[in-house]
Amino acid sequence: MDRHLFKLNWGAMKSGISLDKDYVPSGGDYRRFESKISDSHSSNFRRHAKVHSFRDRLKIVFTNARSIRKNFAEFTVLLEDLKPDVFGITESWLREDIDSAEVSHPGYVVYRQDRRDTHNGVGGGVLLYVRDDIVSVEKSQLQGSFVNSVWCELSTNNSKRSRDVITVVLFTALLTAAMIMMSCCLIQLERLLKELLRLNVSKASGPDAIHPYLLKTFAHYFCVPLSLIFSKFMDEGYVPRDWRCANITPIFKKGDKTKPCNYRPVSLTSVVCKVMESIVKKSLVCHFSSQSLIRESQHGFCQKRSCLTNILEFMEDVTSSLNRQRSVDVVFLDFQKAFDKVPHQRLLLRLKSMGVIGNLLSWIGNWLGNREQRVVINGCASSWQNVTSGVPQGSVLGPLLFVAYINDIDGDILCTAKKFADDTKLYSEVSSKSDSEKFQADLDKIFSWSQGWQMLFNIDKCKVMHIGSSNQKFTYNLNGVELQEVSVERDLGIYIDSSLNLPNIVLKLLKEVIGF
């Protein structure tokens, strides 16, 4: 099989898949890709060059230079040979003191972003050559959001329409597939290969029965056809049916095992789809982080934040209040089927307000819509059922979309909030009746938000904890239902004791683990 895959010329594939039919992993009839690169040339500069054709009118070439000045003679030969409309180069290794005249070429306009601090992993710079008879404008207003990137808008003639406006984005290290406002989307092979090699072969396959072991073992061969498939799907905002189907495995949480509400439905979806989701997720995380769109109260699925940072910040705030002889009241909130209740259209509106638009938003909308699922237990499967709301649990992209959806739940309150995905707790110093009324007013605002965004709470599972020896233990309610008071609560796998007594927390954990 290895020899068979090695002989295949993926770049020359011109038929085999249709967007109007079910997804077939071995095909590719969505875009014509031609390669005129001669195999007789053995240098990395030429061998790594990839030629793409956009709508049969725009030829785009990408390659990695590792110093354009060092390889400039070979670059000019390659440019004359291929005669592309757009030539993108990563790792140009240019500095600000190097004039563009040294790397210019007749008939092309040069756009560049020079290398910066490579010790901090920023990258090696990028170059973009655009034929001078094509109207091109650099998107300068978008620069600064991403490092080592060039954004360029091209206008091309179209016999059917007046013109096409195409946005070409070139990155050194980041993926081009999920960037905002893209019309021409090309997947970088290096990023895709890394995702394939990171697959966990012990994980189960989805309804399409494509096992991660197969994808990881032959990653170096599959990354090329998959990049073509992913590029087309993103460009069209298309998601095949197999990617929108899921086998549901119920995972017991706690409580009565005879009640279905005490099980978490985990979706086993297509592994190929998860690879594309991981690529989209990383680009979204980069966008959210660079624009500071996710509130600092959220610690789930955010860069440099985790369960540990959530717990440490909470404990630091509480102990600081106690050291000042102040009491603290904490409310632990529990969403009612959190991931399953997210309304799709409202989620898309939320993403649009955060700057996610164009074909990326269309792709996410199609990924969410028209989903089907069935329950599979011990090899027995139920019939397929339509899914009208929610983000798939067990998917790669779902948790991040949920984080974006509930982002502003604490946007209009005075107390402190700490979130890890759907696990949310609110706390405030309370030393008087007035303080408790302010805290209750914040709870009312949170409940009002939950109704407006259709994310209701399971009030019976929402708890209040009073911390501090002089705590007056005021009562709180959600929608008129008084919250249950607890002295110990498990939060993100850690037992929180109202006395903050570490031995009690350890003893509780020992009892649960070994029945001590």
PDB file of all heavy atoms in Angstrom, residues 212-230:
ATOM      1  N   PRO A 212      -8.064   6.602  12.597  1.00  0.00           N
ATOM      2  CA  PRO A 212      -6.903   7.505  12.716  1.00  0.00           C
ATOM      3  C   PRO A 212      -5.574   6.802  12.470  1.00  0.00           C
ATOM      4  O   PRO A 212      -4.607   7.443  12.056  1.00  0.00           O
ATOM      5  CB  PRO A 212      -7.011   8.026  14.155  1.00  0.00           C
ATOM      6  CG  PRO A 212      -7.912   7.077  14.869  1.00  0.00           C
ATOM      7  CD  PRO A 212      -8.858   6.582  13.838  1.00  0.00           C
ATOM      8  N   TYR A 213      -5.505   5.494  12.700  1.00  0.00           N
ATOM      9  CA  TYR A 213      -4.256   4.767  12.449  1.00  0.00           C
ATOM     10  C   TYR A 213      -3.879   4.846  10.972  1.00  0.00           C
ATOM     11  O   TYR A 213      -2.705   5.033  10.627  1.00  0.00           O
ATOM     12  CB  TYR A 213      -4.404   3.303  12.866  1.00  0.00           C
ATOM     13  CG  TYR A 213      -3.170   2.459  12.570  1.00  0.00           C
ATOM     14  CD1 TYR A 213      -2.080   2.466  13.433  1.00  0.00           C
ATOM     15  CD2 TYR A 213      -3.104   1.669  11.426  1.00  0.00           C
ATOM     16  CE1 TYR A 213      -0.949   1.716  13.165  1.00  0.00           C
ATOM     17  CE2 TYR A 213      -1.974   0.917  11.139  1.00  0.00           C
ATOM     18  CZ  TYR A 213      -0.897   0.935  12.012  1.00  0.00           C
ATOM     19  OH  TYR A 213       0.221   0.202  11.733  1.00  0.00           O
ATOM     20  N   LEU A 214      -4.854   4.702  10.092  1.00  0.00           N
ATOM     21  CA  LEU A 214      -4.606   4.780   8.659  1.00  0.00           C
ATOM     22  C   LEU A 214      -4.107   6.170   8.271  1.00  0.00           C
ATOM     23  O   LEU A 214      -3.128   6.311   7.524  1.00  0.00           O
ATOM     24  CB  LEU A 214      -5.879   4.450   7.890  1.00  0.00           C
ATOM     25  CG  LEU A 214      -5.808   4.532   6.365  1.00  0.00           C
ATOM     26  CD1 LEU A 214      -4.893   3.448   5.818  1.00  0.00           C
ATOM     27  CD2 LEU A 214      -7.202   4.416   5.757  1.00  0.00           C
ATOM     28  N   LEU A 215      -4.764   7.206   8.787  1.00  0.00           N
ATOM     29  CA  LEU A 215      -4.389   8.578   8.440  1.00  0.00           C
ATOM     30  C   LEU A 215      -3.010   8.936   8.963  1.00  0.00           C
ATOM     31  O   LEU A 215      -2.232   9.606   8.281  1.00  0.00           O
ATOM     32  CB  LEU A 215      -5.427   9.552   8.995  1.00  0.00           C
ATOM     33  CG  LEU A 215      -6.834   9.455   8.394  1.00  0.00           C
ATOM     34  CD1 LEU A 215      -7.799  10.338   9.178  1.00  0.00           C
ATOM     35  CD2 LEU A 215      -6.827   9.845   6.928  1.00  0.00           C
ATOM     36  N   LYS A 216      -2.686   8.475  10.163  1.00  0.00           N
ATOM     37  CA  LYS A 216      -1.383   8.802  10.747  1.00  0.00           C
ATOM     38  C   LYS A 216      -0.261   8.023  10.069  1.00  0.00           C
ATOM     39  O   LYS A 216       0.815   8.567   9.810  1.00  0.00           O
ATOM     40  CB  LYS A 216      -1.400   8.516  12.246  1.00  0.00           C
ATOM     41  CG  LYS A 216      -0.116   8.918  12.956  1.00  0.00           C
ATOM     42  CD  LYS A 216      -0.239   8.775  14.461  1.00  0.00           C
ATOM     43  CE  LYS A 216       1.021   9.248  15.161  1.00  0.00           C
ATOM     44  NZ  LYS A 216       0.887   9.193  16.647  1.00  0.00           N
ATOM     45  N   THR A 217      -0.501   6.751   9.776  1.00  0.00           N
ATOM     46  CA  THR A 217       0.537   5.918   9.169  1.00  0.00           C
ATOM     47  C   THR A 217       0.945   6.442   7.801  1.00  0.00           C
ATOM     48  O   THR A 217       2.129   6.449   7.448  1.00  0.00           O
ATOM     49  CB  THR A 217       0.044   4.464   9.051  1.00  0.00           C
ATOM     50  OG1 THR A 217      -0.314   3.976  10.342  1.00  0.00           O
ATOM     51  CG2 THR A 217       1.130   3.575   8.461  1.00  0.00           C
ATOM     52  N   PHE A 218      -0.035   6.876   7.014  1.00  0.00           N
ATOM     53  CA  PHE A 218       0.237   7.357   5.656  1.00  0.00           C
ATOM     54  C   PHE A 218       0.036   8.862   5.550  1.00  0.00           C
ATOM     55  O   PHE A 218      -0.395   9.377   4.524  1.00  0.00           O
ATOM     56  CB  PHE A 218      -0.660   6.627   4.656  1.00  0.00           C
ATOM     57  CG  PHE A 218      -0.473   5.136   4.643  1.00  0.00           C
ATOM     58  CD1 PHE A 218      -1.369   4.301   5.289  1.00  0.00           C
ATOM     59  CD2 PHE A 218       0.628   4.579   4.013  1.00  0.00           C
ATOM     60  CE1 PHE A 218      -1.187   2.929   5.295  1.00  0.00           C
ATOM     61  CE2 PHE A 218       0.821   3.203   4.008  1.00  0.00           C
ATOM     62  CZ  PHE A 218      -0.090   2.370   4.652  1.00  0.00           C
ATOM     63  N   ALA A 219       0.379   9.566   6.646  1.00  0.00           N
ATOM     64  CA  ALA A 219       0.160  11.014   6.697  1.00  0.00           C
ATOM     65  C   ALA A 219       0.891  11.747   5.585  1.00  0.00           C
ATOM     66  O   ALA A 219       0.371  12.705   5.010  1.00  0.00           O
ATOM     67  CB  ALA A 219       0.589  11.558   8.063  1.00  0.00           C
ATOM     68  N   HIS A 220       2.102  11.327   5.264  1.00  0.00           N
ATOM     69  CA  HIS A 220       2.896  12.038   4.262  1.00  0.00           C
ATOM     70  C   HIS A 220       2.286  11.937   2.877  1.00  0.00           C
ATOM     71  O   HIS A 220       2.565  12.771   2.010  1.00  0.00           O
ATOM     72  CB  HIS A 220       4.332  11.496   4.239  1.00  0.00           C
ATOM     73  CG  HIS A 220       5.122  11.853   5.442  1.00  0.00           C
ATOM     74  ND1 HIS A 220       5.039  11.138   6.617  1.00  0.00           N
ATOM     75  CD2 HIS A 220       5.998  12.871   5.685  1.00  0.00           C
ATOM     76  CE1 HIS A 220       5.842  11.687   7.529  1.00  0.00           C
ATOM     77  NE2 HIS A 220       6.433  12.730   6.992  1.00  0.00           N
ATOM     78  N   TYR A 221       1.468  10.915   2.638  1.00  0.00           N
ATOM     79  CA  TYR A 221       0.820  10.773   1.345  1.00  0.00           C
ATOM     80  C   TYR A 221      -0.573  11.405   1.341  1.00  0.00           C
ATOM     81  O   TYR A 221      -1.004  11.982   0.346  1.00  0.00           O
ATOM     82  CB  TYR A 221       0.718   9.290   0.978  1.00  0.00           C
ATOM     83  CG  TYR A 221       2.039   8.577   1.018  1.00  0.00           C
ATOM     84  CD1 TYR A 221       2.290   7.595   1.972  1.00  0.00           C
ATOM     85  CD2 TYR A 221       3.054   8.901   0.124  1.00  0.00           C
ATOM     86  CE1 TYR A 221       3.509   6.948   2.022  1.00  0.00           C
ATOM     87  CE2 TYR A 221       4.277   8.251   0.169  1.00  0.00           C
ATOM     88  CZ  TYR A 221       4.503   7.277   1.115  1.00  0.00           C
ATOM     89  OH  TYR A 221       5.714   6.648   1.165  1.00  0.00           O
ATOM     90  N   PHE A 222      -1.282  11.287   2.466  1.00  0.00           N
ATOM     91  CA  PHE A 222      -2.647  11.796   2.524  1.00  0.00           C
ATOM     92  C   PHE A 222      -2.710  13.314   2.670  1.00  0.00           C
ATOM     93  O   PHE A 222      -3.736  13.919   2.374  1.00  0.00           O
ATOM     94  CB  PHE A 222      -3.409  11.158   3.689  1.00  0.00           C
ATOM     95  CG  PHE A 222      -3.841   9.743   3.424  1.00  0.00           C
ATOM     96  CD1 PHE A 222      -3.941   8.827   4.459  1.00  0.00           C
ATOM     97  CD2 PHE A 222      -4.139   9.325   2.145  1.00  0.00           C
ATOM     98  CE1 PHE A 222      -4.330   7.520   4.226  1.00  0.00           C
ATOM     99  CE2 PHE A 222      -4.529   8.024   1.895  1.00  0.00           C
ATOM    100  CZ  PHE A 222      -4.627   7.114   2.937  1.00  0.00           C
ATOM    101  N   CYS A 223      -1.625  13.934   3.152  1.00  0.00           N
ATOM    102  CA  CYS A 223      -1.697  15.373   3.413  1.00  0.00           C
ATOM    103  C   CYS A 223      -1.929  16.166   2.127  1.00  0.00           C
ATOM    104  O   CYS A 223      -2.590  17.213   2.153  1.00  0.00           O
ATOM    105  CB  CYS A 223      -0.437  15.858   4.122  1.00  0.00           C
ATOM    106  SG  CYS A 223       1.075  15.759   3.150  1.00  0.00           S
ATOM    107  N   VAL A 224      -1.426  15.691   1.000  1.00  0.00           N
ATOM    108  CA  VAL A 224      -1.629  16.419  -0.258  1.00  0.00           C
ATOM    109  C   VAL A 224      -3.080  16.362  -0.721  1.00  0.00           C
ATOM    110  O   VAL A 224      -3.709  17.405  -0.918  1.00  0.00           O
ATOM    111  CB  VAL A 224      -0.679  15.900  -1.355  1.00  0.00           C
ATOM    112  CG1 VAL A 224      -0.988  16.572  -2.685  1.00  0.00           C
ATOM    113  CG2 VAL A 224       0.767  16.151  -0.969  1.00  0.00           C
ATOM    114  N   PRO A 225      -3.679  15.153  -0.902  1.00  0.00           N
ATOM    115  CA  PRO A 225      -5.081  15.153  -1.337  1.00  0.00           C
ATOM    116  C   PRO A 225      -6.018  15.794  -0.329  1.00  0.00           C
ATOM    117  O   PRO A 225      -6.991  16.445  -0.705  1.00  0.00           O
ATOM    118  CB  PRO A 225      -5.394  13.661  -1.527  1.00  0.00           C
ATOM    119  CG  PRO A 225      -4.388  12.941  -0.712  1.00  0.00           C
ATOM    120  CD  PRO A 225      -3.154  13.776  -0.784  1.00  0.00           C
ATOM    121  N   LEU A 226      -5.725  15.615   0.970  1.00  0.00           N
ATOM    122  CA  LEU A 226      -6.593  16.229   1.975  1.00  0.00           C
ATOM    123  C   LEU A 226      -6.504  17.748   1.929  1.00  0.00           C
ATOM    124  O   LEU A 226      -7.499  18.444   2.164  1.00  0.00           O
ATOM    125  CB  LEU A 226      -6.236  15.723   3.374  1.00  0.00           C
ATOM    126  CG  LEU A 226      -6.681  14.298   3.712  1.00  0.00           C
ATOM    127  CD1 LEU A 226      -6.220  13.908   5.103  1.00  0.00           C
ATOM    128  CD2 LEU A 226      -8.199  14.152   3.606  1.00  0.00           C
ATOM    129  N   SER A 227      -5.321  18.271   1.635  1.00  0.00           N
ATOM    130  CA  SER A 227      -5.203  19.733   1.528  1.00  0.00           C
ATOM    131  C   SER A 227      -6.044  20.257   0.370  1.00  0.00           C
ATOM    132  O   SER A 227      -6.647  21.325   0.459  1.00  0.00           O
ATOM    133  CB  SER A 227      -3.739  20.136   1.340  1.00  0.00           C
ATOM    134  OG  SER A 227      -3.265  19.759   0.057  1.00  0.00           O
ATOM    135  N   LEU A 228      -6.103  19.496  -0.710  1.00  0.00           N
ATOM    136  CA  LEU A 228      -6.932  19.899  -1.853  1.00  0.00           C
ATOM    137  C   LEU A 228      -8.408  19.845  -1.486  1.00  0.00           C
ATOM    138  O   LEU A 228      -9.189  20.747  -1.808  1.00  0.00           O
ATOM    139  CB  LEU A 228      -6.664  18.993  -3.056  1.00  0.00           C
ATOM    140  CG  LEU A 228      -5.200  18.780  -3.471  1.00  0.00           C
ATOM    141  CD1 LEU A 228      -5.130  17.951  -4.734  1.00  0.00           C
ATOM    142  CD2 LEU A 228      -4.494  20.097  -3.656  1.00  0.00           C
ATOM    143  N   ILE A 229      -8.793  18.776  -0.789  1.00  0.00           N
ATOM    144  CA  ILE A 229     -10.188  18.609  -0.375  1.00  0.00           C
ATOM    145  C   ILE A 229     -10.585  19.702   0.617  1.00  0.00           C
ATOM    146  O   ILE A 229     -11.630  20.344   0.485  1.00  0.00           O
ATOM    147  CB  ILE A 229     -10.388  17.216   0.251  1.00  0.00           C
ATOM    148  CG1 ILE A 229     -10.245  16.133  -0.829  1.00  0.00           C
ATOM    149  CG2 ILE A 229     -11.761  17.105   0.921  1.00  0.00           C
ATOM    150  CD1 ILE A 229     -10.193  14.734  -0.281  1.00  0.00           C
ATOM    151  N   PHE A 230      -9.750  19.935   1.630  1.00  0.00           N
ATOM    152  CA  PHE A 230     -10.051  20.952   2.631  1.00  0.00           C
ATOM    153  C   PHE A 230     -10.142  22.335   1.994  1.00  0.00           C
ATOM    154  O   PHE A 230     -11.012  23.139   2.362  1.00  0.00           O
ATOM    155  CB  PHE A 230      -8.986  20.956   3.725  1.00  0.00           C
ATOM    156  CG  PHE A 230      -9.004  19.751   4.625  1.00  0.00           C
ATOM    157  CD1 PHE A 230      -8.054  19.591   5.619  1.00  0.00           C
ATOM    158  CD2 PHE A 230      -9.966  18.768   4.471  1.00  0.00           C
ATOM    159  CE1 PHE A 230      -8.073  18.492   6.448  1.00  0.00           C
ATOM    160  CE2 PHE A 230      -9.991  17.646   5.295  1.00  0.00           C
ATOM    161  CZ  PHE A 230      -9.032  17.511   6.284  1.00  0.00           C
TER     162      PHE A 230
END
